[in-house]
Amino acid sequence: MPDTQPSAAPVPLVVDTDPGIDDALALLLALASPEVDLRLVTTVHGNVDLARTTENALRVLHLAGRSDVPVAVGARSSLVVAQARRAGHVHGAEGLGGVVLPPSPAAVDPRPAVVALAELLLHSEQPVTVAAIGPLTNIALLLSVYPDAAARIGRLVVMGGSATRGGNVTAAAEFNVWADPEAAAVVFAAGLPTVLVGLDVTLPTVLTEAGIARFAAAGPVGAQAAAMLQQYLDHARTSYGTEGVVVHDALALTEAIVPGTLRTVPRDVVVDTGPGAGRGQTLVDRRTPSSSATAVAVAEDVDSEAAVEFLVSRLCRLAGTA
């Protein structure tokens, strides 16, 4: 994966997120990447409650010296069934692994997230990439309320689901899809140009302690990012048996920043929205590539070493300059 300066104008980027430790890394990666221009952050319920995901987003942007990026508050709960539990056991009760970042001087954008996103899409002269790395409630609401704006999304990169790996919150379901299966079903059936970055490619992509040490030593931003990861390291050892952290959201952001990072195949994807044990499962038809108008580009292969090096080198650069 080349780490070169872009020759074209940066691509406008929106990150829809529920910070969360790996969401925080993803935001920092976006800010460290000249290929994209982070225009808006929208927050959603998920890893922790909405008030905390919003505060965490503000504080992470402030950490990187980018309090100018607007943060708009999104959906407080799922479309139909309230999310059964949060992920404090993974991310800490406050969402950032027990690290308390300085408060941001910025206030939240007065517009609801869906309004802010719709206005950006409708007024942007360039196609906008949207990286959705939390539950898909905000994106489903955009499709329902502002379909003309949703149709202007240049590329939707989703961290969620699993084709072959089962789940990470239940035996069947990955967390982001499980948190709002009805929203995911709406989004995957909408025919948007969607890339699905699921557990098939995120689980093999492990950021080791050696990589963390590199950006921890690069400057204060890297040191804080590394501190957030300590609780995540403990969870990874227990849950995945890895000596490092699985960088789910940062891998999705890498694909958003450098399209083609992941090998994708167009597939038909259905979400189980029933009440049973399979709720939240992404049912991916892998028998043959799909030519359907609603096919989703499912990520099926990754150069994990290159993806991790991309993340580490970019965080080193940000830590050394912010």
Side-chain angles (χ1 to χ4, degrees):
M1 180 187 301
D3 188 13
T4 57
Q5 295 291 328
S7 57
V11 173
L13 174 69
V14 176
V15 177
D16 185 65
T17 180
D18 61 334
I21 295 166
D22 54 334
D23 304 75
L25 280 187
L27 283 172
L28 294 174
L29 176 60
L31 295 172
S33 297
E35 297 89 346
V36 294
D37 176 14
L38 183 59
R39 299 277 184 88
L40 174 68
V41 172
T42 52
T43 60
V44 68
H45 69 96
N47 287 316
V48 287
D49 64 76
L50 180 67
R52 181 48 54 187
T53 65
T54 301
E55 184 62 27
N56 288 347
L58 287 165
R59 292 186 182 219
V60 170
L61 292 169
H62 178 50
L63 171 68
R66 291 298 310 274
S67 296
D68 59 299
V69 177
V71 174
V73 183
R76 186 176 304 277
S77 62
S78 309
L79 291 181
V80 178
V81 179
Q83 186 179 330
R85 59 186 183 276
R86 304 295 175 191
H89 64 293
V90 178
H91 299 272
E94 303 298 311
L96 296 180
V99 173
V100 180
L101 297 177
S104 172
V108 295
D109 193 294
R111 300 168 296 174
V114 173
V115 175
L117 178 54
E119 290 182 355
L120 174 61
L121 290 166
L122 290 170
H123 293 105
S124 177
E125 295 182 358
Q126 297 172 260
V128 176
T129 295
V130 177
I133 55 176
L136 289 167
T137 316
N138 288 338
I139 309 304
L141 290 171
L142 179 76
L143 283 159
S144 298
V145 181
Y146 297 103
D148 292 346
R152 290 176 60 87
I153 293 175
R155 201 160 170 260
L156 175 65
V157 181
V158 174
M159 192 280 121
S162 170
T164 64
R165 292 267 189 157
N168 64 351
V169 68
T170 70
E174 177 276 329
F175 179 85
N176 284 343
V177 176
W178 168 86
D180 196 344
E182 285 79 11
V186 167
V187 172
F188 297 154
L192 297 176
T194 302
V195 180
L196 185 61
V197 182
L199 300 183
D200 310 274
V201 289
T202 64
L203 288 180
T205 306
V206 177
L207 171 60
T208 66
E209 292 187 77
I212 295 169
R214 282 174 56 194
F215 58 75
V221 174
Q224 291 280 42
M228 292 179 213
L229 287 165
Q230 290 310 303
Q231 176 166 326
Y232 215 39
L233 277 166
D234 294 337
H235 171 73
R237 290 189 188 100
T238 302
S239 298
Y240 303 127
T242 58
E243 289 301 316
V245 293
V246 178
V247 287
H248 302 287
D249 294 338
L251 184 61
L253 258 293
T254 301
E255 174 63 31
I257 294 161
V258 184
T261 292
L262 305 174
R263 186 182 69 84
T264 64
V265 180
R267 305 286 192 192
D268 293 320
V269 180
V270 175
V271 180
D272 186 339
T273 57
R279 181 171 173 79
Q281 182 179 10
T282 44
L283 303 167
V284 179
D285 188 345
R286 300 180 67 245
R287 293 172 296 176
T288 185
S290 175
S291 58
S292 167
T294 58
V296 171
V298 176
E300 298 190 352
D301 192 32
V302 57
D303 182 340
S304 295
E305 183 177 350
V308 170
E309 177 57 32
F310 181 81
L311 171 63
V312 170
S313 63
R314 290 293 170 95
L315 291 182
C316 285
R317 177 188 300 173
L318 179 67
T321 59

